[in-house]
Amino acid sequence: MSQPLDPFNALHSFDPGNGQPGHFHSLPALEAAGLGRISRLPVSLRIVLESVLRNCDGKKVTEHNVRELAQWQPQAARTAEIPFVVARIVLQDFTGVPLLVDLAAMRAAVARMGKNPKLIEPLVPVDLVVDHSVQVDFAGRPDALQRNLEMEFHRNRERYQFLKWGMQAFDTFKVVPPGIGIIHQVNLECLAQGVLSRELEISNLKSQIFYPDTLVGTDSHTTMINGLGIVGWGVGGIEAEAGMLGQPVYFLTPDVVGVHLTGAIREGVTATDVALTVTQMLRKAKVVGKFVEFFGPGAAALPVVDRATIANMAPEYGATMGFFPIDAESVAFLRATGRSDELCCAYENYYRAQGLFGMPQRGQIDYSAELELDLGSVVPSVAGPRRPQDRIELPKLKQEFLKALTRPVAEGGFGKTEDDLYESVRVRSEFHAKEVDHSYGHRHPNVEPSESEMRDQHPAPDTPQMLPLSAFPRFDAHLRHGSVLIASITSCTNTSNPTVMLAAGLLAKKAVERGLHVDSVVKCSLAPGSRVVSDYLEVTGLQASLNQLGFHLVGYGCATCIGNSGPLSAPIEQAITENDLVAASVLSGNRNFEARVHPSLKVNFLMSPPLVVAFAIAGRVDIDLTCEPIGKDQSGRPVYLRDLWPSLGEIRELLQSALRPEVYRKLYTDFTRQNPMWNDIPASTGLAYAWDAQSTYIQEPPFFTDFALQPGTIAELRGARALGIFGDSVTTDHISPAGSIKKSSPAGQYLLARGVAKDDFNSYGSRRGNDRVMTRGTFANVRIKNLMLGGEEGGNTLFYQKLEPAQAKPSGGECWPWSDVGQKMSIYDAALGYQQAGVPLVVIAGQEYGTGSSRDWAAKGTSLLGVKAVVAQSFERIHRSNLVGMGLLPLQFRDGTTAQTLNLDGTETYDVLGLGPDLRPQQDLTLRITRKGSEAEDVPVRCRIDTAIEIDYYQHGGILPFVLRQLVAMA
Ligand code: SF4
């Protein structure tokens, strides 16, 4: 048992309420000692300061770090980095599996050095929630949940075996199995404790030392937990690994923007509407890289579930966090979700002792800037068609859709005419075409088939390998631009909020009572983030109404929110392609980038769960639901949205049944054993993983093969070629797609060559444990536009390197074709060719490079393709740090300089001058561009290695080699 660190004599005692005195690192004591006006610091910063104080060991965290943060000024140049040691780490499976693969690879490297693999061991608790793998293959039928779960296990068996190995190999690594819930909702409802404690020895006596629950997660929306007053945000997998292995998470001292909330949400408005309004408002206020802290009477009046919905969308408004301070509502939420009295008491007493309890009011805190929002001014909204910050007031959706439809393609529209809107195409299901006389398929109320009827008509496939025709309901419909084809109640953003979920159920109930239905051409789904949702929807009888409209439960996971919306039936796909239909999805998710929800759906609108149900009934997005009827009742009378919308009173009445502590306790007790399919998966044992060379899911990555104990030196980059030149807003999904793998793509060809049938390809996201697939998939998004090819979509480029015949493609023995006007080929093939020739690569891009979900494979894949530097107009925060974390060089053009102003077309070669062992954070460097037959052009660029520790990471070739060298040196 170790002694606590206390260089500032700030260790004090308090009463945690369990009869035993507890200890804590007191921030008021630090202020009394004259370190700064700590009580006026934003609450979120004070929580970070507590971690810096508690972990001040003079090495990783110094007294200087404590003083610097304690003296934070609202307005100042931000150059200091904060070493933040977090209390725990959460992972989802798409990012968690590759992280575990890296840990296993590090253990393998340590074993090869003849040392104990146990050297590699997470030092803080790690929880991995398997939520990203379920796909909506089956929908609109009572057995959809079970069928999708079977498909998920069939597809992911190898990955799940590997996770089970991890559970036994590492002491502090826990897994929440599939079918339990979504990471952030499970975190909010179960994993988060608010305050943590551990036993230490103080004055030769054992004592509990208390500290705030803080975390980082490998998912952008980790910020949802900020709604409960917990500091945490999304980081790349690489940073999370370093955090697990005892490295602080380093970040630049942030500005903190206070958002003063007043008023209250009005009747007819939801927390989702507030989240979309806040997203639009804060995007405009440019809060990228800043902490946002909500305060004031409006914030105090919001329940934690509404706070969580708003906090969830912090990545969409660009902030590092969207933080709500701790108050009585936070304690009430912990109690309502079944946390013990002892914990709730310790939580409240701890934050009171720290002077951190209670919602701050205006004038109490010094923020870098203050913004104002009257919650009473928020109106029903949706966001889209492509970006979450593009909020549209509900009555304006029809005209905004029409504008987008008719806007020229060059201006981001779809280039149609207004008349096109009235053209329609008849589409009939394959099943229907074969059995025209069956009436089942249209979800009219009272014709919902019984489960046995459903089984007879839709027999189970012999194997779940292929989706049977019966996976799709029958339909006979007319499609046109604006038709809704996917309607999904999805995403922890909203499914964690009983208010909006009950509103969806109540709206469904009223719609069914009025005789409305959803056409079966619309693929409806309900994918909540915990089983608690099902409990209250069942108890209130609302699930039955949702079922009648087709919103059957499809899984407890991310599903449509992450793009796992599953296939549309072949006739629909065909109709969309042949008629170039601009069809829509409506979803309660937080992201709607192109091709995210479904590759064939060009417009995607984010909205609250009740609006999802409403638009599913309407069947189209070119409608003003505030004045046009949503449908007609049995007697042909028009029904309006206002007739169906539940009142706040109706929702509140049902909320009592939603938040029952005993239900949370029951569903979250011993949940690891509650999935028989998970229990049936065999697990290998041992400290080191036995890699299977035949596996197409899990392979040892090459990051630590030929590992040297000494790092290289930083040197200039010479003679690089452009692998791609991209425009603005290239997302991590463009760089490393998570979705389906095309048969003709390099990754598809790789899998086919290893005997994997197309139906078993699964998604890129699920194959992140195999670097061979992922490297081939880098820049392979069907929607990425390489400006070297005039903006043509797809993962291709022009290859400009002459290779001798002896340098044949390793894959097929065929030689790389060459011509000095550039040869078109896949980005992967071109990268291999350049590697053969020993030519380093650069990527050129526009604004917000790497925006979207945190995705370390976007950096890993780029690195494995042989890219050494990415030159962009600006970078998304996490992706920039991931690039450095993989030993890549992010360079930023000066304002006004772009690939277009420089006339770059990929025929050039590039040097990066000024790079050397004395490299400093944010140093100005020179990008030399050499064109055939003309003088070289020197362009100033800013090195976006932002901190001193990142220089070390860059020199070591990335964070992991840096950490591994440290661990081996200490052993
Ligand atoms: S539901 Fe959406 S926001 Fe939530 S963890 Fe999954 S992908 Fe992220």
Side-chain angles (χ1 to χ4, degrees):
M1 198 183 305
S2 56
Q3 296 274 350
L5 304 163
D6 189 22
F8 292 93
N9 291 322
L11 199 62
H12 281 219
S13 61
F14 80 111
D15 175 16
N18 61 1
Q20 305 285 325
H23 283 83
F24 74 115
H25 285 87
S26 166
L27 297 172
L30 208 58
E31 180 163 6
L35 263 79
R37 297 183 72 195
I38 292 165
S39 55
R40 292 198 61 85
L41 293 182
V43 175
S44 48
L45 269 193
R46 279 188 262 169
I47 292 175
V48 175
L49 176 60
E50 188 281 341
S51 163
V52 178
L53 172 66
R54 180 167 36 88
N55 291 287
C56 179
D57 60 358
K59 288 181 237 147
K60 282 180 194 147
V61 183
T62 64
E63 292 185 24
H64 177 71
N65 296 136
V66 177
R67 289 178 196 283
E68 207 163 37
L69 185 55
Q71 285 157 20
W72 178 86
Q73 297 298 320
Q75 268 95 30
R78 304 298 181 202
T79 51
E81 56 186 1
I82 299 174
F84 182 33
V85 178
V86 292
R88 60 192 179 93
I89 286 176
V90 292
L91 312 170
Q92 38 95 333
D93 56 304
F94 271 17
T95 47
V97 167
L99 190 146
L100 189 60
V101 166
D102 287 350
L103 290 181
M106 287 171 90
R107 278 200 168 173
V110 168
R112 279 195 292 272
M113 287 179 229
K115 299 192 183 293
N116 185 354
K118 263 282 196 197
L119 202 59
I120 306 297
E121 180 72 44
L123 298 177
V124 293
V126 180
D127 290 291
L128 185 150
V129 182
V130 185
D131 60 358
H132 273 50
S133 294
V134 65
Q135 299 192 24
V136 189
D137 291 309
F138 291 85
R141 43 190 288 169
D143 61 353
L145 171 73
Q146 181 63 20
R147 291 295 180 87
N148 290 329
L149 208 53
E150 284 165 11
M151 296 283 279
E152 178 188 346
F153 271 81
H154 171 75
R155 291 184 177 120
N156 295 288
R157 195 175 168 82
E158 274 186 56
R159 297 169 68 232
Y160 295 169
Q161 275 177 337
F162 178 62
L163 286 177
K164 283 188 117 176
W165 166 80
M167 284 168 75
Q168 62 79 46
F170 297 96
D171 295 338
T172 49
F173 179 81
K174 297 203 173 63
V175 175
V176 178
I180 300 297
I182 299 175
I183 176 170
H184 309 308
Q185 190 164 346
V186 173
N187 194 18
L188 190 69
E189 293 178 354
C190 165
L191 301 175
Q193 300 296 296
V195 68
L196 302 170
S197 67
R198 66 193 165 106
E199 203 169 72
L200 285 177
E201 201 173 278
I202 299 169
S203 309
N204 296 324
L205 291 174
K206 284 182 191 168
S207 177
Q208 290 293 316
I209 187 151
F210 287 78
Y211 51 99
D213 183 359
T214 57
L215 71 154
V216 287
T218 55
D219 189 277
S220 317
H221 298 97
T222 302
T223 54
M224 199 163 97
I225 206 64
N226 304 161
L228 189 53
I230 292 176
V231 166
W233 57 83
V235 293
I238 306 152
E239 272 178 290
E241 277 167 64
M244 276 181 205
L245 298 171
Q247 289 296 303
V249 173
Y250 290 90
F251 65 104
L252 264 185
T253 306
D255 282 354
V256 184
V257 176
V259 180
H260 186 239
L261 298 181
T262 55
I265 299 178
R266 284 191 292 123
E267 191 76 59
V269 179
T270 63
T272 321
D273 301 319
V274 178
L276 296 179
T277 305
V278 165
T279 300
Q280 184 188 40
M281 169 184 158
L282 294 184
R283 262 287 159 194
K284 279 193 191 139
K286 296 195 188 310
V287 296
V288 173
K290 300 175 183 176
F291 283 11
V292 165
E293 192 164 299
F294 298 93
F295 71 106
L302 285 175
V304 165
V305 289
D306 287 358
R307 298 177 187 179
T309 297
I310 298 164
N312 175 288
M313 289 191 75
E316 280 65 47
Y317 39 89
T320 305
M321 288 201 295
F323 183 83
F324 285 84
I326 302 109
D327 65 357
E329 277 294 331
S330 321
V331 184
F333 178 81
L334 287 178
R335 283 194 198 285
T337 49
R339 269 74 166 209
S340 69
D341 278 349
E342 191 179 338
L343 175 76
C344 295
C345 197
Y347 173 81
E348 181 168 345
N349 290 1
Y350 172 81
Y351 287 104
R352 282 190 186 282
Q354 284 287 31
L356 292 172
F357 193 84
M359 188 61 69
Q361 299 303 314
R362 172 156 272 162
Q364 293 179 342
I365 305 271
D366 298 324
Y367 291 112
S368 305
E370 281 188 23
L371 302 171
E372 186 82 30
L373 177 66
D374 173 6
L375 293 171
S377 69
V378 176
V379 296
S381 306
V382 304
R386 291 195 180 105
R387 299 192 311 175
Q389 64 263 44
D390 295 334
R391 186 179 66 89
I392 303 168
E393 292 181 8
L394 187 59
K396 295 186 182 152
L397 175 60
K398 183 177 184 173
Q399 70 199 63
E400 287 299 322
F401 173 74
L402 197 61
K403 272 194 216 161
L405 188 74
T406 52
R407 200 177 298 133
V409 176
E411 293 169 26
F414 297 101
K416 307 287 179 199
T417 66
E418 214 162 306
D419 288 346
D420 290 337
L421 189 58
Y422 305 102
E423 297 289 322
S424 69
V425 48
R426 186 178 181 190
V427 55
R428 304 167 81 214
S429 56
E430 292 155 307
F431 207 94
H432 186 102
K434 285 182 190 157
E435 297 183 36
V436 179
D437 290 337
H438 278 281
S439 59
Y440 166 67
H442 290 266
R443 287 185 287 251
H444 287 275
N446 309 323
V447 295
E448 176 78 7
S450 67
E451 278 204 40
S452 60
E453 199 183 347
M454 182 70 98
R455 271 196 297 276
D456 293 346
Q457 292 188 25
H458 297 241
D462 289 332
T463 74
Q465 280 159 297
M466 279 185 58
L467 272 187
L469 214 52
S470 61
F472 306 101
R474 273 170 284 161
F475 51 83
D476 184 355
H478 284 83
L479 298 188
R480 58 192 186 86
H481 302 307
S483 287
V484 171
L485 293 179
I486 287 180
S488 186
I489 301 175
T490 182
S491 184
C492 56
T493 319
N494 285 295
T495 67
S496 58
N497 191 329
T499 313
V500 290
M501 296 301 281
L502 288 169
L506 281 165
L507 192 143
K509 181 167 180 269
K510 292 182 185 205
V512 169
E513 283 164 1
R514 293 295 299 269
L516 299 180
H517 71 279
V518 176
D519 196 291
S520 53
V521 78
V522 185
K523 184 173 184 178
C524 296
S525 55
L526 166 64
S530 95
R531 296 170 301 159
V532 173
V533 178
S534 291
D535 180 87
Y536 64 70
L537 287 178
E538 290 293 347
V539 166
T540 52
L542 297 177
Q543 184 61 54
S545 304
L546 287 162
N547 288 349
Q548 279 187 272
L549 295 181
F551 285 93
H552 293 84
L553 187 61
V554 295
Y556 297 102
C558 301
T560 303
C561 184
I562 188 66
N564 285 348
S565 52
L568 292 170
S569 80
I572 295 179
E573 289 274 10
Q574 197 180 344
I576 294 173
T577 312
E578 285 177 1
N579 300 283
D580 192 26
L581 286 178
V582 182
S585 78
V586 292
L587 68 157
S588 57
N590 46 31
R591 295 225 159 130
N592 50 355
F593 301 120
E594 241 180 302
R596 162 117 177 167
V597 176
H598 189 283
S600 301
L601 301 188
K602 295 188 176 152
V603 292
N604 304 284
F605 291 99
L606 308 178
M607 57 186 69
S608 65
L611 279 182
V612 169
V613 177
F615 276 98
I617 296 168
R620 59 197 173 99
V621 291
D622 58 313
I623 183 170
D624 179 357
L625 283 182
T626 58
C627 60
E628 292 179 60
I630 194 170
K632 288 189 178 157
D633 66 12
Q634 294 102 326
S635 51
R637 278 174 311 182
V639 179
Y640 293 87
L641 181 63
R642 59 178 174 271
D643 302 329
L644 307 180
W645 198 269
S647 69
L648 281 175
E650 286 171 297
I651 297 168
R652 278 195 200 116
E653 207 173 300
L654 293 185
L655 265 177
Q656 308 303 328
S657 43
L659 293 180
R660 288 180 302 151
E662 63 275 18
V663 174
Y664 288 88
R665 273 189 217 116
K666 186 178 119 212
L667 292 176
Y668 283 116
T669 300
D670 205 17
F671 54 76
T672 54
R673 294 174 203 275
Q674 289 173 18
N675 187 333
M677 282 188 257
W678 175 258
N679 298 341
D680 287 347
I681 287 188
S684 61
T685 53
L687 288 180
Y689 186 66
W691 305 99
D692 173 4
Q694 303 309 313
S695 173
T696 55
Y697 276 100
I698 307 292
Q699 284 296 327
E700 183 175 2
F703 305 131
F704 309 105
T705 44
D706 307 325
F707 184 76
L709 282 176
Q710 286 305 316
T713 47
I714 298 175
E716 291 185 333
L717 185 63
R718 298 277 186 177
R721 283 279 184 184
L723 186 60
I725 300 178
F726 304 109
D728 293 343
S729 300
V730 168
T731 67
T732 47
D733 199 70
H734 284 124
I735 306 168
S736 183
S740 56
I741 302 171
K742 273 181 84 169
K743 203 171 166 183
S744 58
S745 68
Q749 293 297 303
Y750 166 87
L751 290 171
L752 286 175
R754 271 145 197 85
V756 181
K758 171 75 180 92
D759 291 312
D760 289 331
F761 274 10
N762 213 337
S763 60
Y764 281 111
S766 67
R767 291 197 179 266
R768 289 182 187 155
N770 184 343
D771 59 283
R772 284 77 162 164
V773 173
M774 297 311 294
T775 308
R776 286 167 170 83
T778 307
F779 297 110
N781 188 310
V782 292
R783 294 271 180 255
I784 195 166
K785 293 175 185 154
N786 187 351
L787 302 177
M788 287 166 67
L789 288 162
E792 179 187 301
E793 287 190 333
N796 292 317
T797 192
L798 290 175
F799 181 63
Y800 284 101
Q801 186 67 36
K802 191 169 187 177
L803 292 171
E804 295 307 321
Q807 293 174 306
K809 283 186 185 177
S811 47
E814 175 199 345
C815 298
W816 269 270
W818 181 82
S819 78
D820 58 5
V821 292
Q823 198 69 35
K824 181 175 162 182
M825 62 180 70
S826 74
I827 282 183
Y828 175 73
D829 274 349
L832 274 194
Y834 286 123
Q835 278 181 24
Q836 290 276 314
V839 174
L841 297 169
V842 295
V843 164
I844 313 282
Q847 299 272 11
E848 296 182 328
Y849 182 75
T851 191
S853 310
S854 69
R855 194 163 291 176
D856 54 334
W857 261 108
K860 285 177 173 172
T862 305
S863 164
L864 290 180
L865 285 177
V867 174
K868 302 296 176 202
V870 177
V871 195
Q873 287 171 255
S874 65
F875 291 90
E876 190 277 339
R877 181 182 67 85
I878 298 176
H879 188 60
R880 185 207 61 79
S881 86
N882 276 346
L883 289 172
V884 181
M886 282 310 298
L888 286 158
L889 184 65
L891 298 173
Q892 192 161 321
F893 286 126
R894 285 209 176 146
D895 280 355
T897 306
T898 67
Q900 290 71 40
T901 62
L902 295 169
N903 287 320
L904 302 181
D905 61 9
T907 54
E908 316 79 12
T909 61
Y910 300 85
D911 304 326
V912 181
L913 308 179
L915 270 178
D918 54 351
L919 182 68
R920 297 182 317 278
Q922 301 213 340
Q923 187 179 325
D924 286 334
L925 299 172
T926 300
L927 180 71
R928 175 163 292 169
I929 301 165
T930 307
R931 298 181 173 86
K932 205 172 176 186
S934 62
E935 294 256 308
E937 181 179 0
D938 283 352
V939 178
V941 284
R942 166 74 43 92
C943 170
R944 286 300 314 277
I945 295 180
D946 284 354
T947 61
I949 190 76
E950 283 188 349
I951 301 272
D952 286 340
Y953 296 159
Y954 178 62
Q955 189 198 347
H956 280 257
I959 294 183
L960 297 185
F962 171 82
V963 173
L964 185 53
R965 286 189 183 106
Q966 282 202 333
L967 290 172
V968 172
M970 284 189 308

